[in-house]
Protein backbone atom coordinates (compact mmCIF):
# COMPACT_ATOMS: atom_id res chain seq x y z
CA UNK A 1 0.00 0.00 0.00
CA UNK A 2 1.21 3.49 -0.85
CA UNK A 3 2.16 5.25 2.32
CA UNK A 4 1.62 8.93 1.70
CA UNK A 5 3.95 9.91 4.54
CA UNK A 6 6.89 7.62 3.83
CA UNK A 7 10.24 9.34 3.39
CA UNK A 8 10.42 8.54 -0.32
CA UNK A 9 6.98 9.81 -1.12
CA UNK A 10 7.59 13.08 0.76
CA UNK A 11 10.79 13.56 -1.23
CA UNK A 12 8.92 12.89 -4.45
CA UNK A 13 6.28 15.43 -3.54
CA UNK A 14 8.76 18.07 -2.41
CA UNK A 15 11.23 17.85 -5.31
CA UNK A 16 9.11 19.70 -7.89
CA UNK A 17 8.17 22.22 -5.21
CA UNK A 18 11.84 22.87 -4.39
CA UNK A 19 12.68 23.29 -8.08
CA UNK A 20 9.78 25.73 -8.45
CA UNK A 21 10.94 27.66 -5.39
CA UNK A 22 14.49 27.80 -6.75
CA UNK A 23 13.31 29.29 -10.03
CA UNK A 24 10.84 31.73 -8.53
CA UNK A 25 13.50 32.72 -5.99
CA UNK A 26 15.92 33.47 -8.82
CA UNK A 27 13.26 35.45 -10.68
CA UNK A 28 12.43 37.57 -7.65
CA UNK A 29 16.11 38.19 -6.96
CA UNK A 30 16.77 39.11 -10.60
CA UNK A 31 13.49 40.29 -12.12
CA UNK A 32 15.28 41.76 -15.16
CA UNK A 33 17.33 40.13 -17.88
CA UNK A 34 18.29 42.54 -20.62
CA UNK A 35 20.90 41.87 -23.27
CA UNK A 36 23.24 44.22 -25.08
CA UNK A 37 22.15 43.55 -28.65
CA UNK A 38 25.29 45.10 -30.15
CA UNK A 39 28.86 45.93 -29.17
CA UNK A 40 30.02 49.36 -28.05
CA UNK A 41 33.51 50.82 -28.39
CA UNK A 42 34.56 52.36 -25.10
CA UNK A 43 37.87 54.04 -24.19
CA UNK A 44 39.42 53.41 -20.77
CA UNK A 45 41.53 55.62 -18.49
CA UNK A 46 44.68 54.45 -20.32
CA UNK A 47 43.24 55.44 -23.71
CA UNK A 48 42.80 51.78 -24.73
CA UNK A 49 39.76 51.00 -26.86
CA UNK A 50 37.71 48.01 -25.79
CA UNK A 51 34.62 46.34 -27.15
CA UNK A 52 31.79 46.07 -24.64
CA UNK A 53 30.41 43.64 -23.51
CA UNK A 54 32.85 41.18 -25.17
CA UNK A 55 35.80 42.55 -23.19
CA UNK A 56 34.22 41.29 -19.96
CA UNK A 57 33.15 37.85 -21.25
CA UNK A 58 32.77 35.29 -18.41
CA UNK A 59 33.07 38.06 -15.81
CA UNK A 60 30.44 39.62 -13.58
CA UNK A 61 30.44 43.41 -14.04
CA UNK A 62 29.35 46.09 -11.59
CA UNK A 63 28.81 49.24 -13.65
CA UNK A 64 28.13 52.77 -12.42
CA UNK A 65 27.41 56.01 -14.31
CA UNK A 66 29.24 59.21 -13.43
CA UNK A 67 30.73 62.51 -14.58
CA UNK A 68 33.94 63.68 -12.95
CA UNK A 69 32.88 67.32 -12.59
CA UNK A 70 30.19 66.15 -10.18
CA UNK A 71 31.20 67.17 -6.64
CA UNK A 72 28.53 65.31 -4.67
CA UNK A 73 26.53 62.33 -6.00
CA UNK A 74 29.03 60.73 -8.41
CA UNK A 75 31.87 60.60 -5.84
CA UNK A 76 29.42 58.80 -3.52
CA UNK A 77 28.62 56.26 -6.27
CA UNK A 78 32.33 55.83 -7.07
CA UNK A 79 33.10 55.33 -3.40
CA UNK A 80 30.28 52.79 -3.06
CA UNK A 81 31.78 50.85 -5.97
CA UNK A 82 35.19 51.01 -4.29
CA UNK A 83 33.66 49.61 -1.08
CA UNK A 84 31.99 46.79 -3.05
CA UNK A 85 35.35 46.08 -4.70
CA UNK A 86 37.00 45.82 -1.26
CA UNK A 87 34.23 43.58 0.08
CA UNK A 88 34.44 41.27 -2.94
CA UNK A 89 38.21 41.05 -2.53
CA UNK A 90 37.84 40.27 1.19
CA UNK A 91 35.42 37.47 0.33
CA UNK A 92 37.95 35.94 -2.06
CA UNK A 93 35.78 36.46 -5.17
CA UNK A 94 37.92 37.02 -8.23
CA UNK A 95 35.63 37.04 -11.28
CA UNK A 96 34.14 40.52 -10.80
CA UNK A 97 35.10 43.67 -12.72
CA UNK A 98 34.08 47.24 -11.95
CA UNK A 99 33.29 49.82 -14.60
CA UNK A 100 32.44 53.50 -14.18
CA UNK A 101 31.11 54.97 -17.43
CA UNK A 102 31.16 58.73 -17.92
CA UNK A 103 28.13 60.30 -19.58
CA UNK A 104 30.21 63.47 -20.11
CA UNK A 105 32.67 62.37 -22.84
CA UNK A 106 33.36 65.95 -23.92
CA UNK A 107 35.11 66.78 -20.66
CA UNK A 108 35.95 63.32 -19.34
CA UNK A 109 38.95 62.43 -21.46
CA UNK A 110 41.01 59.36 -20.47
CA UNK A 111 43.62 61.46 -18.59
CA UNK A 112 40.83 63.14 -16.58
CA UNK A 113 39.39 59.75 -15.66
CA UNK A 114 42.82 58.49 -14.63
CA UNK A 115 43.41 61.49 -12.37
CA UNK A 116 39.91 61.07 -10.88
CA UNK A 117 40.77 57.44 -10.02
CA UNK A 118 44.23 58.23 -8.66
CA UNK A 119 43.15 61.01 -6.30
CA UNK A 120 40.59 58.58 -4.84
CA UNK A 121 43.24 55.85 -4.55
CA UNK A 122 41.13 53.38 -6.51
CA UNK A 123 42.72 50.01 -7.22
CA UNK A 124 42.63 49.84 -11.02
CA UNK A 125 43.43 46.13 -11.17
CA UNK A 126 39.76 45.30 -11.81
CA UNK A 127 38.26 48.81 -11.82
CA UNK A 128 37.92 50.57 -15.18
CA UNK A 129 36.83 54.09 -16.03
CA UNK A 130 35.30 54.52 -19.47
CA UNK A 131 34.59 57.34 -21.86
CA UNK A 132 34.11 57.17 -25.62
CA UNK A 133 32.83 58.78 -28.77
CA UNK A 134 29.67 60.76 -28.07
CA UNK A 135 27.46 58.59 -30.30
CA UNK A 136 28.72 55.40 -28.65
CA UNK A 137 28.09 56.74 -25.16
CA UNK A 138 24.62 58.01 -26.06
CA UNK A 139 23.69 54.69 -27.65
CA UNK A 140 25.01 52.80 -24.61
CA UNK A 141 23.05 55.00 -22.20
CA UNK A 142 19.84 54.43 -24.16
CA UNK A 143 20.36 50.69 -23.92
CA UNK A 144 20.83 50.75 -20.15
CA UNK A 145 18.07 53.32 -19.73
CA UNK A 146 20.28 55.92 -18.08
CA UNK A 147 19.40 59.56 -18.70
CA UNK A 148 21.77 62.54 -18.28
CA UNK A 149 21.09 66.14 -19.23
CA UNK A 150 22.72 69.48 -18.43
CA UNK A 151 20.70 71.31 -15.83
CA UNK A 152 22.71 73.54 -13.50
CA UNK A 153 25.43 75.91 -14.74
CA UNK A 154 27.78 78.17 -12.78
CA UNK A 155 30.00 80.86 -14.33
CA UNK A 156 33.53 81.64 -13.17
CA UNK A 157 34.88 85.21 -13.23
CA UNK A 158 36.96 84.37 -16.29
CA UNK A 159 33.79 83.42 -18.17
CA UNK A 160 33.88 79.64 -18.05
CA UNK A 161 30.47 77.96 -17.91
CA UNK A 162 30.81 75.00 -15.56
CA UNK A 163 27.81 72.79 -16.17
CA UNK A 164 26.38 69.98 -14.11
CA UNK A 165 24.17 67.10 -15.13
CA UNK A 166 20.95 65.83 -13.66
CA UNK A 167 21.12 62.09 -14.21
CA UNK A 168 19.85 58.66 -13.38
CA UNK A 169 21.44 57.49 -10.15
CA UNK A 170 22.28 53.91 -11.01
CA UNK A 171 24.56 50.93 -10.70
CA UNK A 172 23.83 47.84 -12.81
CA UNK A 173 24.86 44.23 -12.36
CA UNK A 174 25.82 42.36 -15.53
CA UNK A 175 26.25 38.59 -15.55
CA UNK A 176 28.92 36.40 -17.17
CA UNK A 177 26.93 36.29 -20.42
CA UNK A 178 26.75 40.08 -20.70
CA UNK A 179 23.14 40.33 -19.59
CA UNK A 180 21.89 43.06 -17.26
CA UNK A 181 20.42 41.29 -14.26
CA UNK A 182 19.66 43.99 -11.71
CA UNK A 183 19.62 47.76 -11.15
CA UNK A 184 20.45 49.59 -7.92
CA UNK A 185 20.31 53.24 -6.83
CA UNK A 186 23.96 54.18 -7.49
CA UNK A 187 24.68 56.49 -4.58
CA UNK A 188 22.56 54.49 -2.13
CA UNK A 189 23.31 50.93 -3.19
CA UNK A 190 23.15 48.39 -0.37
CA UNK A 191 26.63 46.83 -0.35
CA UNK A 192 25.42 43.68 1.40
CA UNK A 193 22.60 43.19 -1.12
CA UNK A 194 24.79 43.56 -4.21
CA UNK A 195 27.47 41.31 -2.69
CA UNK A 196 24.86 38.60 -2.11
CA UNK A 197 23.60 39.07 -5.68
CA UNK A 198 27.14 38.69 -7.03
CA UNK A 199 27.54 35.46 -5.05
CA UNK A 200 24.20 34.23 -6.35
CA UNK A 201 25.39 34.79 -9.93
CA UNK A 202 28.42 32.64 -9.18
CA UNK A 203 30.90 35.22 -8.07
CA UNK B 1 30.37 80.15 44.49
CA UNK B 2 32.76 81.44 41.84
CA UNK B 3 32.71 78.03 40.10
CA UNK B 4 28.94 78.04 40.08
CA UNK B 5 28.80 81.50 38.47
CA UNK B 6 31.44 80.40 35.96
CA UNK B 7 29.38 77.33 35.02
CA UNK B 8 26.29 79.49 34.66
CA UNK B 9 28.24 81.79 32.33
CA UNK B 10 29.35 78.83 30.19
CA UNK B 11 25.77 77.59 30.09
CA UNK B 12 24.55 81.04 29.06
CA UNK B 13 27.13 81.25 26.26
CA UNK B 14 26.21 77.77 25.02
CA UNK B 15 22.58 78.84 24.92
CA UNK B 16 23.44 81.56 22.48
CA UNK B 17 25.94 80.10 20.10
CA UNK B 18 26.32 78.91 16.59
CA UNK B 19 28.79 76.06 16.23
CA UNK B 20 30.32 74.58 13.11
CA UNK B 21 31.21 70.92 13.59
CA UNK B 22 32.41 67.85 11.67
CA UNK B 23 33.59 69.80 8.65
CA UNK B 24 35.40 68.02 5.82
CA UNK B 25 36.14 68.32 2.10
CA UNK B 26 36.42 65.65 -0.58
CA UNK B 27 39.80 65.05 -2.21
CA UNK B 28 39.92 66.34 -5.78
CA UNK B 29 42.31 67.45 -8.51
CA UNK B 30 43.36 70.96 -9.46
CA UNK B 31 40.93 72.39 -12.01
CA UNK B 32 38.13 70.05 -10.92
CA UNK B 33 35.36 70.47 -8.33
CA UNK B 34 34.80 69.34 -4.76
CA UNK B 35 32.35 69.83 -1.91
CA UNK B 36 32.51 71.06 1.66
CA UNK B 37 30.33 69.42 4.31
CA UNK B 38 29.69 70.39 7.94
CA UNK B 39 27.07 70.61 10.66
CA UNK B 40 25.71 73.92 11.92
CA UNK B 41 24.49 73.68 15.49
CA UNK B 42 22.18 76.56 16.25
CA UNK B 43 21.79 76.86 20.05
CA UNK B 44 20.15 80.26 19.82
CA UNK B 45 16.45 81.05 20.11
CA UNK B 46 16.37 82.50 16.59
CA UNK B 47 16.64 81.09 13.09
CA UNK B 48 20.09 81.69 11.60
CA UNK B 49 20.79 82.16 7.92
CA UNK B 50 23.96 81.06 6.15
CA UNK B 51 24.15 83.12 2.96
CA UNK B 52 27.74 82.94 1.78
CA UNK B 53 30.90 80.87 2.05
CA UNK B 54 34.34 82.08 0.95
CA UNK B 55 37.63 80.35 0.30
CA UNK B 56 40.76 80.95 -1.75
CA UNK B 57 41.01 77.35 -2.91
CA UNK B 58 38.40 77.55 -5.68
CA UNK B 59 37.36 80.03 -8.34
CA UNK B 60 33.74 79.74 -7.22
CA UNK B 61 32.26 78.78 -3.87
CA UNK B 62 28.49 78.31 -3.89
CA UNK B 63 25.83 76.76 -1.68
CA UNK B 64 23.99 73.98 -3.53
CA UNK B 65 21.51 71.29 -2.76
CA UNK B 66 21.25 67.85 -4.31
CA UNK B 67 17.71 66.80 -5.08
CA UNK B 68 16.11 63.54 -6.11
CA UNK B 69 13.31 63.24 -8.63
CA UNK B 70 12.26 59.66 -9.32
CA UNK B 71 15.45 57.76 -10.05
CA UNK B 72 17.32 60.92 -11.10
CA UNK B 73 19.58 63.14 -9.05
CA UNK B 74 20.44 66.76 -9.77
CA UNK B 75 21.95 69.80 -8.10
CA UNK B 76 20.77 73.39 -7.88
CA UNK B 77 22.17 76.54 -6.35
CA UNK B 78 20.47 77.96 -3.29
CA UNK B 79 20.84 81.55 -2.11
CA UNK B 80 20.88 80.72 1.58
CA UNK B 81 20.08 78.08 4.17
CA UNK B 82 18.05 78.79 7.30
CA UNK B 83 18.94 76.84 10.42
CA UNK B 84 16.00 76.61 12.78
CA UNK B 85 16.38 77.63 16.45
CA UNK B 86 17.74 74.91 18.76
CA UNK B 87 18.54 72.60 15.89
CA UNK B 88 21.40 71.21 13.85
CA UNK B 89 21.51 71.48 10.08
CA UNK B 90 23.77 68.99 8.32
CA UNK B 91 25.44 69.80 5.04
CA UNK B 92 26.07 66.24 3.94
CA UNK B 93 26.67 64.07 0.86
CA UNK B 94 23.56 63.77 -1.28
CA UNK B 95 21.95 66.82 0.35
CA UNK B 96 23.04 70.42 0.88
CA UNK B 97 26.73 71.12 0.30
CA UNK B 98 29.08 73.95 -0.45
CA UNK B 99 30.32 73.45 -3.98
CA UNK B 100 33.94 74.27 -4.70
CA UNK B 101 34.17 74.93 -8.42
CA UNK B 102 37.42 74.91 -10.42
CA UNK B 103 39.90 74.22 -7.65
CA UNK B 104 43.09 76.26 -7.73
CA UNK B 105 45.06 73.40 -6.23
CA UNK B 106 44.85 69.67 -5.64
CA UNK B 107 43.03 68.72 -2.44
CA UNK B 108 45.00 65.87 -0.90
CA UNK B 109 43.84 63.81 2.02
CA UNK B 110 45.33 65.14 5.27
CA UNK B 111 45.67 68.79 4.19
CA UNK B 112 43.59 71.59 5.71
CA UNK B 113 42.03 74.71 4.23
CA UNK B 114 40.38 77.81 5.65
CA UNK B 115 36.80 78.82 4.92
CA UNK B 116 34.72 81.80 6.04
CA UNK B 117 31.01 81.22 6.64
CA UNK B 118 28.75 84.27 6.63
CA UNK B 119 25.58 84.29 8.73
CA UNK B 120 23.00 87.09 8.64
CA UNK B 121 23.08 89.06 11.93
CA UNK B 122 25.89 86.84 13.28
CA UNK B 123 28.81 87.79 11.07
CA UNK B 124 31.76 85.67 10.00
CA UNK B 125 32.80 82.26 11.21
CA UNK B 126 36.28 81.11 10.23
CA UNK B 127 36.87 77.37 10.12
CA UNK B 128 39.76 75.11 9.18
CA UNK B 129 38.66 72.06 7.26
CA UNK B 130 40.55 68.80 6.60
CA UNK B 131 40.44 66.88 3.32
CA UNK B 132 39.04 63.42 4.00
CA UNK B 133 38.18 60.34 2.02
CA UNK B 134 35.19 59.03 3.90
CA UNK B 135 33.36 55.75 3.64
Amino acid sequence: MFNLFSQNSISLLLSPLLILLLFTGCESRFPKKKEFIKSYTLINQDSSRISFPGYFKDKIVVMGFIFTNCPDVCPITTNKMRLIQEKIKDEGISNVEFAALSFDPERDKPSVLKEYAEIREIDLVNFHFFTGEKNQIESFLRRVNVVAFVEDTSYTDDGEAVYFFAHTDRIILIDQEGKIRKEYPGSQVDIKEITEDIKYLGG
Amino acid sequence: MFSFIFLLMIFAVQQDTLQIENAWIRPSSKGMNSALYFDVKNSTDDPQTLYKVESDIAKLVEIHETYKKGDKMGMRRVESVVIKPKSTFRFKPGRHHVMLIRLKQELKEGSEYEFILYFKNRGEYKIKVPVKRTN
Side-chain angles (χ1 to χ4, degrees):
Chain A
M1 187 181 164
F2 181 71
N3 180 358
L4 189 64
F5 299 104
S6 73
Q7 210 169 27
N8 284 344
S9 57
I10 288 173
S11 300
L12 277 171
L13 283 168
L14 285 180
S15 296
L17 194 65
L18 283 171
I19 291 166
L20 186 70
L21 275 173
L22 191 69
F23 275 96
T24 52
C26 189
E27 284 303 308
S28 62
R29 183 178 277 270
F30 300 118
K32 287 194 108 172
K33 200 172 188 178
K34 190 175 180 182
E35 290 185 51
F36 290 94
I37 48 176
K38 64 171 192 171
S39 291
Y40 300 86
T41 302
L42 303 178
I43 303 167
N44 75 8
Q45 72 278 353
D46 295 318
S47 300
S48 298
R49 286 174 182 268
I50 67 109
S51 177
F52 186 94
Y55 182 76
F56 291 118
K57 192 174 182 302
D58 298 331
K59 299 278 188 179
I60 295 166
V61 181
V62 174
M63 178 174 257
F65 301 90
I66 62 160
F67 69 111
T68 67
N69 268 273
C70 175
D72 190 46
V73 177
C74 303
I76 304 173
T77 301
T78 308
N79 196 49
K80 287 275 188 180
M81 291 174 69
R82 186 182 66 80
L83 293 172
I84 299 163
Q85 183 193 32
E86 280 179 7
K87 174 103 173 131
I88 292 296
K89 191 179 176 184
D90 290 347
E91 302 241 358
I93 301 168
S94 59
N95 60 338
V96 183
E97 300 284 323
F98 294 82
L101 179 82
S102 169
F103 43 73
D104 186 13
E106 285 185 23
R107 291 185 296 186
D108 285 342
K109 303 300 178 198
S111 59
V112 174
L113 295 176
K114 190 157 194 171
E115 207 172 341
Y116 182 84
E118 283 174 354
I119 196 104
R120 287 166 176 77
E121 298 177 10
I122 287 169
D123 181 359
L124 293 172
V125 168
N126 62 339
F127 204 133
H128 317 259
F129 286 82
F130 289 116
T131 183
E133 306 293 339
K134 199 178 173 193
N135 65 334
Q136 290 288 299
I137 298 294
E138 284 175 352
S139 175
F140 192 102
L141 294 177
R142 276 195 298 274
R143 189 65 198 156
V144 295
N145 203 23
V146 167
V147 177
F149 52 93
V150 173
E151 194 177 59
D152 193 19
T153 305
S154 293
Y155 296 87
T156 61
D157 287 343
D158 49 9
E160 186 193 359
V162 185
Y163 54 88
F164 301 95
F165 287 87
H167 58 90
T168 311
D169 181 29
R170 184 168 296 159
I171 283 174
I172 58 174
L173 184 63
I174 302 166
D175 70 14
Q176 295 91 325
E177 294 172 8
K179 291 177 181 140
I180 301 167
R181 302 302 296 270
K182 199 168 175 182
E183 297 171 348
Y184 310 84
S187 62
Q188 290 158 46
V189 59
D190 183 328
I191 292 170
K192 193 177 168 195
E193 179 192 347
I194 194 168
T195 305
E196 289 304 313
D197 289 342
I198 288 167
K199 287 183 194 169
Y200 205 82
L201 283 180
Chain B
M1 185 62 186
F2 178 76
S3 304
F4 179 69
I5 293 168
F6 184 67
L7 280 172
L8 271 181
M9 282 169 66
I10 290 174
F11 182 72
V13 168
Q14 281 181 343
Q15 288 297 297
D16 190 31
T17 59
L18 208 52
Q19 287 169 287
I20 314 300
E21 298 171 343
N22 306 317
W24 62 282
I25 333 169
R26 283 187 192 289
S28 194
S29 312
K30 184 181 176 183
M32 297 301 284
N33 310 319
S34 182
L36 160 69
Y37 305 100
F38 51 92
D39 301 339
V40 185
K41 189 177 177 186
N42 179 10
S43 304
T44 74
D45 294 323
D46 303 307
Q48 302 296 341
T49 304
L50 174 71
Y51 66 96
K52 190 169 76 170
V53 179
E54 279 185 352
S55 171
D56 288 336
I57 65 169
K59 285 186 181 177
L60 277 176
V61 179
E62 297 177 344
I63 304 170
H64 281 242
E65 67 173 334
T66 296
Y67 67 89
K68 190 173 180 183
K69 196 175 179 184
D71 62 354
K72 292 172 195 64
M73 304 284 275
M75 289 170 291
R76 57 190 161 213
R77 189 179 179 189
V78 294
E79 291 302 317
S80 59
V81 170
V82 177
I83 299 101
K84 290 177 186 168
K86 309 286 184 201
S87 73
T88 299
F89 190 97
R90 297 186 203 288
F91 287 76
K92 61 182 183 180
R95 299 289 179 85
H96 281 79
H97 54 278
V98 174
M99 203 187 271
L100 313 173
I101 300 166
R102 294 293 174 254
L103 294 165
K104 295 176 185 172
Q105 59 201 91
E106 181 178 308
L107 303 186
K108 272 195 167 177
E109 194 168 15
S111 46
E112 274 193 342
Y113 298 96
E114 196 171 89
F115 289 83
I116 306 172
L117 279 56
Y118 293 85
F119 291 88
K120 273 182 194 165
N121 308 319
R122 302 291 300 193
E124 303 175 7
Y125 283 69
K126 275 187 187 171
I127 54 170
K128 273 202 165 179
V129 185
V131 179
K132 277 186 189 174
R133 191 181 69 154
T134 67
N135 289 336

